[in-house]
Amino acid sequence: MRKSLEALLAMVPVVAALVVAPNAAATAQAAASTPASTTAATLKDAASISGRLFGAAAAANLLRDAEYVATLNREFNQLTPENEMKWDFIEPNRGLFNYAAADRLVSHAESQGMTVRGHALVWHSQLPAWVQNMNSPGQLLTAVHNHISNVASHFSGRVAYWNVANEAFDDTSRAARRNSVFQRLLGDAWIEEAFRATRAADPTAKLCYSDYFIEGQNPKSDAVYALVKDFKSRGVPIDCVGFQAHLTSGAVPADMRANLQRFADLGVDVHLTELDIAGSGTAQADSYAQVVRSCLAVSRCTVITLSGVTDKFSWRVSQTPLLFDRYYTKKPAYDSVLSVLIGG
Ligand code: G3I
């Protein structure tokens, strides 16, 4: 059995071309009796078996770090610039665009055959003061249109998915819109404006709404669900929902699969866009397995992306939430993810 699994993994590009996500269960079943940790698979190869991508957020300044790059290149086939496409990075001063760091990441991804996710066009955080301090709706709308048309056109054809609007819902009531400059000056319509502007600037990229604390069914995910349903019913262009999935061991929502499925049933793809799970050891491994199983059970859950490559550079560094430790050693959670992807 092991031999046939290894043969299957060696054929991954062929298998990925032939096997689509809905057939994952059959493929997984065929591989089920082989312990995944004994194979030579990588995360991206294992995810390819069911036609999925396995990605990571990456930082341009770390492309000089040989150990970091070796792990990124070996394990991942989708890259999300961690900060370099955010508004304060890319347009720190009005009308002056700084693409150097983002271009480096996109070129690196292309050189490795990785798919790129753009992150993020309109977000209340990492927003330059010149935008935050605006008080004219007309000027803000012009600034949003100008930002999106410049950035999305610049990367047109090179970015497969855009997180168009990020974290638009509140942290307290969670079902209400967040009090951002966009919401205050433009009202509810700002998200729709952003999606239409992105589609106009790059007709081929898939357009996603992305948020955290929406992995299970709750008032916040209900609010995002209503937004997506409304967009689909009115023909506002939206292709995918990004579930950031910043989670904690032992606290993965039990209804995650059902929640992903209800979004998929609206006619959008669902992506795990910044997956990380605080914790360590078996508890962390079990929680990662639960999340990956939830995705594999939903045919439209087509991309799993981690918030980083290694705990060493994680934005939640003290919570050791990733699959490689600070020495780039594979953690128990790595083995459990690989095993679930392969079907163990
Ligand atoms: O660019 C400056 C640099 O000039 C300065 O020398 C340095 C000193 O600290 O700071 C640099 O900016 C930092 C930036 O990352 C780039 O490294 C910011 O201080 C730091 O706050 C910022 O953190 C990022 C964080 O978003 C900001 O909210 C993390 O790297 C990034 O992983 C994290 O990612 C977000 C997602 O985009 C959206 N979901 C939530 C997640 C956490 O907020």
Side-chain angles (χ1 to χ4, degrees), residues 82-83 86 119 123 125-126 166-167 244 246 274 315:
E82 186 173 0
N83 288 294
K86 293 173 181 174
H119 175 69
W123 187 30
S125 183
Q126 291 179 276
N166 196 37
E167 302 176 4
Q244 294 186 5
H246 297 301
E274 303 179 20
W315 73 288

Side-chain angles (χ1 to χ4, degrees), residues 245-248 276-278 307 311 314-321:
H246 297 301
L247 301 168
T248 298
D276 54 24
I277 305 182
S307 68
D311 286 344
S314 167
W315 73 288
R316 300 171 86 186
V317 62
S318 64
Q319 298 174 308
T320 61

Side-chain angles (χ1 to χ4, degrees), residues 83-297:
N83 288 294
E84 296 79 353
M85 289 184 177
K86 293 173 181 174
W87 199 320
D88 66 352
F89 242 90
I90 232 162
E91 193 189 5
N93 298 297
R94 186 170 193 162
L96 296 176
F97 292 86
N98 169 21
Y99 291 115
D103 281 343
R104 280 209 305 283
L105 281 165
V106 173
S107 296
H108 181 83
E110 288 171 342
S111 76
Q112 298 297 315
M114 297 172 179
T115 301
V116 177
R117 170 184 300 277
H119 175 69
L121 288 168
V122 190
W123 187 30
H124 68 279
S125 183
Q126 291 179 276
L127 188 63
W130 70 267
V131 184
Q132 283 189 55
N133 297 336
M134 281 188 153
N135 48 32
S136 150
Q139 284 182 15
L140 179 60
L141 191 57
T142 302
V144 167
H145 280 150
N146 192 49
H147 180 74
I148 290 177
S149 87
N150 265 279
V151 177
S153 306
H154 179 84
F155 293 108
S156 181
R158 305 176 79 193
V159 162
Y161 311 108
W162 265 114
N163 290 340
V164 175
N166 196 37
E167 302 176 4
F169 288 86
D170 192 44
D171 269 332
T172 38
S173 88
R174 295 194 151 142
R177 291 293 188 85
R178 184 187 293 279
N179 178 10
S180 67
V181 67
F182 308 110
Q183 190 67 31
R184 283 195 304 277
L185 269 55
L186 305 176
D188 284 354
W190 73 264
I191 302 183
E192 177 175 346
E193 285 288 340
F195 275 81
R196 292 191 194 280
T198 311
R199 176 57 43 92
D202 181 355
T204 59
K206 301 280 187 204
L207 310 186
C208 306
Y209 174 79
S210 163
D211 216 325
Y212 61 88
F213 199 66
I214 59 168
E215 293 72 29
Q217 188 164 349
N218 59 41
K220 188 170 178 178
S221 65
D222 286 350
V224 175
Y225 181 87
L227 174 90
V228 176
K229 191 172 181 192
D230 172 53
F231 278 18
K232 293 301 278 186
S233 74
R234 291 189 299 111
V236 179
I238 183 165
D239 305 297
C240 33
V241 174
F243 298 77
Q244 294 186 5
H246 297 301
L247 301 168
T248 298
S249 294
V252 175
D255 60 354
M256 185 164 176
R257 184 204 59 74
N259 189 50
L260 296 175
Q261 187 65 58
R262 74 168 172 148
F263 278 86
D265 290 344
L266 290 175
V268 288
D269 288 336
V270 293
H271 300 159
L272 308 185
T273 45
E274 303 179 20
L275 174 61
D276 54 24
I277 305 182
S280 61
T282 310
Q284 186 180 48
D286 290 349
S287 289
Y288 261 104
Q290 189 183 338
V291 168
V292 174
R293 270 195 205 102
S294 299
C295 176
L296 294 194

